[in-house]
Amino acid sequence: MSSTMSEKILARASGNEKVEAGDIIIANIDVAMTHDLTGPLAVESFEKIGVENVWDSSKIVIPFDHQVPADSIDSANNHIIMRKFVENQKIKNFYDVNAGVCHQILPELGHVVPGEVIVGADSHTCTHGALGAFSTGIGSTDMAMVFAEGNLWFKVPETNRFEITGELKDNVYAKDVILNIIGQVGADGSTYKACEFSGQTVGDMSVSDRMVLCNMAIEMGGKTGLVEPDKKTIEYVEKRSNKPYKIFKTDLNAPSLKTINIDVSDLEPQVACPNNVDNVKPVSEIDEEIDQVFLGSCTNGRISDLRDAAKILKGKEIAKSTRMLVIPASKETYLKALDEGLIKIFIEAGALVSSPCCGPCLGGHTGIIGPDEVSLSTSNRNFKGRQGSPEGKVYLSSAAVAAASALEGKIVAPE
């Protein structure tokens, strides 16, 4: 019987010839990631289990990215806990405060290849499905069991396959595509489903753009986001990793597959309005002055996003009523932006550029907003209190809309 990509990957990982949606299986884990914010609880829970050593120190990846450098005594203590764990367990893949956002550096540094099962103690771990892996977020206590045993139970998900067609207009990007999809299906439209993104539009996208789609699968309830590997995937992976991999693809007659057709030919720039990611409107329908623009995060802090924004900002000045915070997603991204002169463009335009980290995305660190302030962000969530004060408002957009809006002091589309 035919199977989906997710079913095939989970069958391999569980040692079964075949699994079907709804099956409960125990899958071996290829990569386990936790960071400075979720890691301490995972370590505490692991120590309570009473196992002396982790199952495989080479398969655990620990980046510091959420509160870096430490902004409080609590976060400094979290860093200490994790550094001791790394040392005691001889964790080979540890990235301290200067590396960047976890979901950017894992694929960038070769930890993600097609066909793997990847778990992370962070909900946006689904980003890595852009490279053809089954990648999903789990809780810190589940991560403790992975540390101890190297496996975890899963319910095999059904699949929603978004067949995306049409050529994108100028100044319309992958972020607009995924916001539009979430607006159509709703925040619970793919609950515990594998969200596959396919079609010619996706085929034309870069790997970075595909990461944007998969990153936000969780915002419509998805268990994971996935793109079938192609030539672009293989080129990206083989340039960055020497790990063996296996490519799986979905059989279009698989029983658990539902195909949803999306035509983006007439799509215009989109914005998610407060306080839900599925509250999506075209930019042309929004009239809102803004206090802050945040360009960064695991959704849109890559070099392509910085280039898009710099092209709009070059030789211009940000509105005096608005502040702009630019945070590259990784050290590699930051260095490329330096080499290309993008950082100079941002600073001359009046933006503040910070070192790679999550920044204000989670409301726990750099650049949070105060009561009644309005933030336009290239990140992935706009829930009440997500970027600071619960009385503040957060809108989500592409990097291009963010840059154009910074110049105007209100939400607008690029000319």
Side-chain angles (χ1 to χ4, degrees), residues 125-164:
T125 303
C126 49
T127 305
H128 310 312
L131 295 177
F134 184 93
S135 190
T136 191
I138 62 173
S140 294
T141 49
D142 285 333
M143 183 59 71
M145 290 306 300
V146 173
F147 284 172
E149 299 290 338
N151 55 42
L152 194 64
W153 73 271
F154 294 89
K155 179 183 175 183
V156 179
E158 298 176 345
T159 295
N160 280 348
R161 182 180 173 101
F162 296 93
E163 188 77 16
I164 306 170

Side-chain angles (χ1 to χ4, degrees), residues 29 49 85 98 130 168 177 227 268 274 300 302 310 383 396 412 414:
I29 303 302
I49 294 172
F85 179 73
N98 64 340
L168 296 175
V177 173
V227 176
E268 63 176 284
N300 286 113
R302 301 180 185 88
F383 309 141
L396 306 177
V412 297

Side-chain angles (χ1 to χ4, degrees), residues 324-328 334 342-344 346-347 351-355:
M324 184 175 187
L325 182 60
V326 180
I327 305 183
Y334 198 117
L342 307 185
I343 302 298
K344 186 171 187 287
F346 295 136
I347 293 174
L352 174 68
V353 181
S354 294
S355 56

Side-chain angles (χ1 to χ4, degrees), residues 269-414:
Q270 306 282 296
V271 169
C273 304
N275 293 304
N276 295 292
V277 184
D278 60 356
N279 183 17
V280 178
K281 298 177 182 178
V283 177
S284 58
E285 295 181 10
I286 298 169
D287 182 16
E288 181 76 85
E289 294 184 353
I290 52 178
D291 298 288
Q292 177 170 291
V293 171
F294 167 44
L295 172 59
S297 86
C298 60
T299 315
N300 286 113
R302 301 180 185 88
I303 190 63
S304 57
D305 303 300
L306 302 189
R307 288 169 181 155
D308 293 336
K311 191 185 304 182
I312 293 168
L313 293 170
K314 187 173 184 179
K316 300 174 183 175
E317 290 188 8
I318 292 163
K320 296 191 185 307
S321 61
T322 303
R323 57 192 184 270
M324 184 175 187
L325 182 60
V326 180
I327 305 183
S330 68
K331 180 168 71 174
E332 179 180 308
T333 303
Y334 198 117
L335 290 172
K336 283 182 180 178
L338 277 172
D339 290 342
E340 296 178 19
L342 307 185
I343 302 298
K344 186 171 187 287
I345 291 172
F346 295 136
I347 293 174
E348 287 181 342
L352 174 68
V353 181
S354 294
S355 56
C357 68
C358 294
C361 177
L362 72 155
H365 198 17
T366 312
I368 60 175
I369 59 173
D372 300 321
E373 286 197 310
V374 178
S375 168
L376 178 62
S377 172
T378 64
S379 56
N380 44 42
R381 285 188 175 153
N382 62 347
F383 309 141
K384 186 176 288 190
R386 173 70 182 182
Q387 289 189 11
S389 171
E391 286 76 43
K393 293 195 292 185
V394 179
Y395 292 79
L396 306 177
S397 77
S398 69
V401 169
S405 301
L407 294 175
E408 295 294 326
K410 60 183 295 187
I411 298 176
V412 297

Side-chain angles (χ1 to χ4, degrees), residues 16-68:
N16 291 302
E17 185 175 337
K18 180 176 176 57
V19 300
E20 298 177 9
D23 289 350
I24 304 297
I25 53 103
I26 301 292
N28 293 320
I29 303 302
D30 296 293
V31 179
M33 183 278 297
T34 191
H35 48 63
D36 55 302
L37 199 60
T38 58
L41 177 57
V43 169
E44 179 185 345
S45 301
F46 171 76
E47 291 173 348
K48 288 180 180 177
I49 294 172
V51 178
E52 187 173 343
N53 296 311
V54 297
W55 102 100
D56 189 335
S57 61
S58 69
K59 293 185 177 181
I60 296 172
V61 184
I62 299 180
F64 284 1
D65 62 354
H66 275 59
Q67 291 176 290
V68 298

Side-chain angles (χ1 to χ4, degrees), residues 31-37 39 57-70 78-80 82-87 90-112 128 240-243 329-332 356-358:
V31 179
M33 183 278 297
T34 191
H35 48 63
D36 55 302
L37 199 60
S57 61
S58 69
K59 293 185 177 181
I60 296 172
V61 184
I62 299 180
F64 284 1
D65 62 354
H66 275 59
Q67 291 176 290
V68 298
N78 284 342
H79 292 186
I80 291 169
M82 296 310 297
R83 289 190 182 106
K84 286 180 178 177
F85 179 73
V86 165
E87 182 179 359
K90 298 179 173 55
I91 305 297
K92 302 178 188 302
N93 302 305
F94 169 57
Y95 302 98
D96 215 314
V97 297
N98 64 340
V101 184
C102 58
H103 307 308
Q104 176 65 14
I105 66 174
L106 257 69
E108 199 173 73
L109 299 179
H111 295 295
V112 179
H128 310 312
R240 298 170 181 274
S241 181
N242 57 8
K243 293 202 293 182
S330 68
K331 180 168 71 174
E332 179 180 308
C357 68
C358 294

Side-chain angles (χ1 to χ4, degrees), residues 58-258:
S58 69
K59 293 185 177 181
I60 296 172
V61 184
I62 299 180
F64 284 1
D65 62 354
H66 275 59
Q67 291 176 290
V68 298
D71 64 329
S72 66
I73 294 173
D74 285 343
S75 60
N77 283 334
N78 284 342
H79 292 186
I80 291 169
I81 290 168
M82 296 310 297
R83 289 190 182 106
K84 286 180 178 177
F85 179 73
V86 165
E87 182 179 359
N88 292 340
Q89 294 294 331
K90 298 179 173 55
I91 305 297
K92 302 178 188 302
N93 302 305
F94 169 57
Y95 302 98
D96 215 314
V97 297
N98 64 340
V101 184
C102 58
H103 307 308
Q104 176 65 14
I105 66 174
L106 257 69
E108 199 173 73
L109 299 179
H111 295 295
V112 179
V113 297
E116 291 187 324
V117 173
I118 299 170
V119 293
D122 188 291
S123 56
H124 291 102
T125 303
C126 49
T127 305
H128 310 312
L131 295 177
F134 184 93
S135 190
T136 191
I138 62 173
S140 294
T141 49
D142 285 333
M143 183 59 71
M145 290 306 300
V146 173
F147 284 172
E149 299 290 338
N151 55 42
L152 194 64
W153 73 271
F154 294 89
K155 179 183 175 183
V156 179
E158 298 176 345
T159 295
N160 280 348
R161 182 180 173 101
F162 296 93
E163 188 77 16
I164 306 170
T165 56
E167 185 175 347
L168 296 175
K169 294 179 179 179
D170 289 345
N171 294 318
V172 178
Y173 298 89
K175 183 63 163 292
D176 302 301
V177 173
I178 190 60
L179 286 178
N180 180 258
I181 290 173
I182 295 168
Q184 288 189 52
V185 305
D188 59 353
S190 286
T191 299
Y192 209 89
K193 304 284 182 66
C195 300
E196 279 191 30
F197 301 99
S198 60
Q200 187 58 50
T201 310
V202 178
D204 291 340
M205 287 181 179
S206 67
V207 170
S208 289
D209 287 339
R210 296 171 187 181
M211 288 183 190
V212 178
L213 303 179
C214 292
N215 177 273
M216 296 193 69
I218 186 67
E219 308 310 334
M220 50 182 160
K223 180 65 174 175
T224 187
L226 292 155
V227 176
E228 289 183 352
D230 60 7
K231 183 179 178 182
K232 291 179 182 178
T233 315
I234 294 167
E235 287 176 353
Y236 183 97
V237 167
E238 292 189 347
K239 186 167 68 174
R240 298 170 181 274
S241 181
N242 57 8
K243 293 202 293 182
Y245 61 87
K246 186 171 183 181
I247 291 174
F248 295 95
K249 298 194 175 186
T250 289
D251 300 320
L252 296 182
N253 60 342
S256 65
L257 180 69
K258 177 183 178 181

